[in-house]
Amino acid sequence: MTEIRLWNTRTRAKDPLEPTVIPGRVSIYVCGPTVYDRAHLGNARPSVVFDVLNRLLRHTYGDANVTYVRNITDVEDKIIDRAAERGIGIDELTATTEAWYHQDMAALGVLPPDVEPHATAFIPQMIAMIETLVAQGHAYAAEGHVLFAVGSYADYGALSGRSVEDMIAGARVEVAPYKRDPMDFVLWKPSAPDQPGWDSPWGRGRPGWHIECSAMSHAILGDSFDIHGGGIDLQFPHHENEIAQSKCAHPEGAFARIWMHNEMLQVEGKKMSKSLGNFFTVRDLLDRGVPGEVIRFVFLSTHYRKPMDWTEKKRGEAEKRLTAWFRKTDGVEAAKVVPARVLAALADDLNTHLALTEMNSLSAPYLKAAMRLIGLPDAEEVDWFRYVESGGLAVGVNSEAATKIDELLARRSEAKNNRNFAEADRIRDALSEAGVVIKDVPGGSVWEFGMSVDLNKLEALK
Ligand code: AMP
Ligand code: ZN
């Protein structure tokens, strides 16, 4: 079995994934969307990143041995405000937004999680957890609110590596009169009669955001599980608060062993924001005719722990490369196994960038198998690549051209083995003259079409 290693924010190391809660079975919890509006492009990044992880885990441990939980936050102040603005009911807003989310993620090739809990379906579990925290002296009620007492948990700040003093200085904490300490955070708050609310020992109210994930992950996965994920913006305070709540309510459990965080997405080098006019949703792109698999490919071309820049240039390159891959694999039967080089790249902290590079040099059946593993559709399910204009595009990156290059490269490595370096160099120069970029890597070479590939020259090569 491939050994999977993942960068763990908690230990600040690439830790081996050793499913120990139940040996051979892996459980993941990923913070899902707050459903008040269309998912913007940044929201899609964690969905795609953890979808690749989900697929790798299923490939490695077997479908039945992976439990992937991604929640829906359907009670939150942003939801209340948006529903009021639009003059519609909260249920209508959340149901519509959730359906959009499912459609948009499906277009990106994201598999549905095994369990998709709604926060509103776990209110009794949240109330029970809050009662435990109050009984243990980790939380207190004040003016209809219940607050978590940050000072009662010695390890607060360990995940993000900050001291409580730094946090107060760095974060704009709400200094409410009912808080004993400015860092204390809300577990429960009162609801006005026109706001959604549930009866509780502290009056009619609703949960704070952080307690949702602690209660849902506990109800579904228990007090210890393998991986917890989300965007890096959630590391503090959301995940720090989840840890404090869960460890204090269930001190016997480990909560999450591995914490994974994806970096943020930017657009053309800038933070995506409405005021900069570079804010767009996944649906905006799909409606503009950008295929979902092209968006997915752009995402995968950057490692998830690096900030990722969405640019038109990258979109164009992804379209070109996918066109080539679809043409190469169209009508081809996929290999039964995924090449070890691709698996090894993914198992090394989800190095999707390297996996894509490795895939450039695979023959069609193996490429098709690898494409499936990373969640790209089969060529037969897609048709846009059949209509891509020739012109500047590396169309032509058809299976004939690919076969020809594979043959020439095989002859080149044979020449090298026979120490006929003149012939090996001649082949490399000729290919590069035709616009094929060749890179030698341990164990062989990989190729891709450069911007100026000339198919006539390629065809004439001997
Ligand atoms: P939200 O619906 O705001 O709770 O966010 C859902 C998910 O999207 C969370 O995991 C966030 O960390 C993630 N997220 C939000 N903005 C970005 C961004 N610009 N880049 C990457 N991930 C993001
Ligand atoms: Zn969460």
Side-chain angles (χ1 to χ4, degrees):
M1 195 188 275
T2 327
E3 189 192 50
I4 298 175
R5 288 177 163 268
L6 301 167
W7 180 265
N8 187 349
T9 314
R10 187 174 63 81
T11 59
R12 289 160 183 76
K14 228 186 250 182
D15 288 342
L17 172 63
E18 288 160 340
T20 45
V21 184
I22 308 176
R25 296 199 55 146
V26 197
S27 43
I28 333 168
Y29 184 98
V30 172
C31 297
T34 303
V35 283
Y36 67 100
D37 207 345
R38 284 267 186 203
H40 64 62
L41 197 60
N43 297 138
R45 193 172 190 201
S47 314
V48 171
V49 164
F50 292 104
D51 180 66
V52 175
L53 177 64
N54 182 31
R55 288 170 183 271
L56 174 68
L57 294 174
R58 298 181 112 80
H59 180 88
T60 309
Y61 292 93
D63 242 347
N65 292 319
V66 179
T67 307
Y68 177 31
V69 184
R70 190 190 63 208
N71 74 288
I72 298 270
T73 293
D74 59 351
V75 49
E76 225 259 334
D77 289 0
K78 276 184 276 200
I79 298 175
I80 300 176
D81 295 346
R82 184 60 58 89
E85 264 168 45
R86 292 184 44 195
I88 58 173
I90 285 177
D91 292 351
E92 186 188 340
L93 176 68
T94 55
T96 312
T97 313
E98 180 179 333
W100 285 341
Y101 185 77
H102 288 155
Q103 284 161 9
D104 295 348
M105 293 312 121
L108 302 185
V110 173
L111 296 173
D114 297 294
V115 190
E116 192 170 49
H118 291 75
T120 50
F122 287 82
I123 304 288
Q125 288 88 338
M126 295 177 205
I127 292 175
M129 198 170 208
I130 298 170
E131 284 184 301
T132 306
L133 291 171
V134 172
Q136 308 287 324
H138 292 295
Y140 56 94
E143 298 179 29
H145 293 70
V146 183
L147 292 128
F148 185 91
V150 164
S152 75
Y153 179 57
D155 285 341
Y156 193 77
L159 179 73
S160 40
R162 319 183 194 194
S163 69
V164 172
E165 292 73 38
D166 289 347
M167 293 179 201
I168 296 176
R172 269 192 267 158
V173 291
E174 191 196 347
V175 190
Y178 46 80
K179 283 190 185 179
R180 287 183 196 160
D181 183 302
M183 286 310 291
D184 292 352
F185 59 87
V186 170
L187 299 172
W188 189 263
K189 59 182 158 191
S191 289
D194 62 339
Q195 291 176 326
W198 291 262
D199 289 331
S200 81
W202 316 284
R204 185 176 173 279
R206 59 189 190 278
W209 171 37
H210 316 299
I211 195 72
E212 295 181 5
C213 290
S214 283
M216 289 187 281
S217 62
H218 185 260
I220 298 162
L221 299 175
D223 57 22
S224 307
F225 54 93
D226 298 300
I227 304 169
H228 191 128
I232 190 77
D233 57 325
L234 302 187
Q235 183 183 354
F236 176 80
H238 184 53
H239 289 162
E240 203 74 73
N241 293 354
E242 279 188 36
I243 293 175
Q245 297 161 158
S246 293
K247 293 286 279 184
C248 290
H250 306 287
E252 63 294 349
F255 194 37
R257 290 168 195 275
I258 296 185
W259 285 83
M260 291 176 69
H261 292 102
N262 64 272
E263 257 295 344
M264 294 288 103
L265 176 131
Q266 307 180 323
V267 174
E268 306 284 353
K270 298 200 180 76
K271 189 180 159 148
M272 185 162 72
S273 84
K274 291 208 164 121
S275 59
L276 289 174
N278 65 355
F279 179 95
F280 48 89
T281 64
V282 174
R283 180 51 49 183
D284 291 335
L285 278 184
L286 295 170
D287 286 350
R288 255 177 50 198
V290 181
E293 48 277 8
V294 168
I295 303 174
R296 186 177 180 98
F297 192 102
V298 174
F299 279 10
L300 300 187
S301 62
T302 300
H303 189 258
Y304 77 93
R305 282 195 291 115
K306 289 196 179 134
M308 144 154 200
D309 202 12
W310 173 273
T311 63
E312 270 306 299
K313 184 162 175 264
K314 282 191 191 167
R315 185 201 51 73
E317 284 165 3
E319 207 167 277
K320 210 184 297 180
R321 193 109 74 94
L322 270 178
T323 299
W325 285 5
F326 284 138
R327 291 190 176 174
K328 183 168 173 180
T329 54
D330 195 14
V332 169
E333 194 177 332
K336 297 275 180 294
V337 292
V338 176
R341 284 184 293 157
V342 175
L343 279 175
L346 295 175
D348 181 15
D349 193 31
L350 287 190
N351 193 339
T352 50
H353 175 82
L354 179 61
L356 293 179
T357 308
E358 297 285 13
M359 285 165 67
N360 274 331
S361 58
L362 296 178
S363 63
Y366 287 101
L367 175 60
K368 193 161 192 164
M371 286 170 77
R372 282 185 189 166
L373 176 69
I374 62 170
L376 293 170
D378 282 355
E380 296 77 14
E381 300 167 39
V382 181
D383 62 359
W384 59 266
F385 71 89
R386 298 171 203 280
Y387 310 112
V388 174
E389 294 283 319
S390 351
L393 279 178
V395 180
V397 182
N398 50 30
S399 39
E400 264 158 66
T403 310
K404 174 111 198 193
I405 297 168
D406 285 343
E407 265 169 35
L408 284 164
L409 285 179
R411 271 169 44 203
R412 174 168 171 255
S413 82
E414 197 183 286
K416 268 200 205 164
N417 288 343
N418 297 332
R419 311 195 64 78
N420 185 351
F421 297 112
E423 172 66 0
D425 289 349
R426 184 194 68 80
I427 295 176
R428 189 200 52 215
D429 293 345
L431 280 170
S432 116
E433 175 69 12
V436 180
V437 182
I438 298 161
K439 225 170 64 191
D440 289 314
V441 295
S445 48
V446 295
W447 62 265
E448 67 186 345
F449 284 95
M451 295 299 273
S452 56
V453 60
D454 184 332
L455 291 173
N456 293 330
K457 265 191 196 159
L458 185 62
E459 210 175 308
L461 289 188
K462 297 237 166 51

